[in-house]
Amino acid sequence: ALGAGVAAVAAAAMCRPTKLVDSKDRSSERAKLRSDVVSAMASLQARIAAAGGESKLFTNMATASGSNVRTGIVTDNLPTEYTDLTALLRMVDSEDIGQTALIEFMALAAVASLVAPRQRSQLDMNSIVFGLFAAVDDNCDGQLTAAEGEGLCRVLQAFDLLPASAVRELSASGGAIDLSEFRACCRRSFDVEALL
C-alpha cells in the first residue's frame, strides 16, 4: 500500500481539474514542489488557522463531506468551498479510495507548515523530523504505530520528499517506528531541497 503513493499521485493528476501534474514528471533539475501545490498548502495553513487547529479543520471537513472523524474526509463529497484543498487530498489518497484519514491529514498539515514561506528559510533537519513525527504521533510516546507510520510515509512519498526505498526501510520491521529510527532515515533520504 505504501508503494502505491506515486501511482495515486499520477492517477489523481490525470483526473483533477486543477491540472496538478505528477511530481515525478520533471526535467533534470532538482525536485521542487510546484507553485500550485505550494499555493494549495498555503490555503490549507490559512484554513487551519481560521478553524482553530488541524483537528478542528479535519472534523469540519469530514462533517461537511457527510462523513465523520473515524471514517475521514470523503473528497468527492466536499462542498465547493473546499475546492482549493481537494487536489491535495487526492494526492495523499494513495489507496485511491476517495477518503483522507486523520493521520494522513495531520501529516499533510505538517508538510504544509514546512512549506509556508516564513518557514522555508529556517528549515533544518531536526525541525523537519520532529514536526512531521509529532504531527502523527497521537499519544506522544515517541513511537509511531504501523498505521501512523504508513500514513506519514504515504504523504511524504506523494510529494516526493521520501523515496520508496526509505519507506520500505521504515516499514521493514512491520510495527512501530521510533523517533530515532525515523530521524536517521530522514537524515539519509529526506529531500529537503524539494521544500525550498
Side-chain angles (χ1 to χ4, degrees):
L2 291 179
V6 174
V9 171
M14 286 187 249
C15 69
R16 77 177 73 97
T18 55
K19 297 284 270 176
L20 290 176
V21 294
D22 180 356
S23 58
K24 290 281 186 195
D25 182 23
R26 61 176 86 96
S27 64
S28 61
E29 63 188 62
R30 293 276 304 161
K32 296 211 184 264
L33 292 177
R34 296 173 321 277
S35 60
D36 54 344
V37 173
V38 172
S39 176
M41 287 186 175
S43 178
L44 175 60
Q45 283 297 294
R47 286 178 176 272
I48 289 169
E54 295 89 346
S55 295
K56 288 182 181 178
L57 178 60
F58 179 81
T59 301
N60 294 346
M61 290 178 72
T63 302
S65 73
S67 184
N68 58 50
V69 174
R70 174 168 261 155
T71 306
I73 299 168
V74 180
T75 308
D76 290 337
N77 293 349
L78 281 169
T80 56
E81 70 186 85
Y82 293 107
T83 301
D84 56 335
L85 302 182
T86 57
L88 283 178
L89 296 177
R90 285 187 179 114
M91 288 182 79
V92 300
D93 181 14
S94 65
E95 295 173 349
D96 200 26
I97 59 173
Q99 291 179 266
T100 303
L102 178 60
I103 292 168
E104 294 163 330
F105 186 81
M106 296 302 280
L108 176 60
V111 169
S113 73
L114 295 173
V115 175
R118 71 180 188 287
Q119 290 280 56
R120 288 172 152 181
S121 63
Q122 304 168 8
L123 290 178
D124 67 82
M125 187 52 69
N126 285 333
S127 297
I128 292 168
V129 167
F130 294 123
L132 292 171
F133 197 91
V136 296
D137 185 12
D138 192 42
N139 64 359
C140 302
D141 67 350
Q143 298 272 325
L144 298 183
T145 64
E148 291 167 339
E150 287 173 11
L152 177 58
C153 287
R154 272 195 296 269
V155 170
L156 296 177
Q157 199 170 20
F159 295 107
D160 294 329
L161 298 172
L162 200 61
S165 59
V167 171
R168 284 190 300 274
E169 175 187 334
L170 286 171
S171 61
S173 66
I177 299 169
D178 73 10
L179 179 58
S180 61
E181 178 184 5
F182 181 69
R183 183 173 181 254
C185 182
C186 285
R187 284 194 172 279
R188 285 188 304 277
S189 305
F190 190 88
D191 189 0
V192 176
E193 296 299 316
L195 295 173
L196 304 175

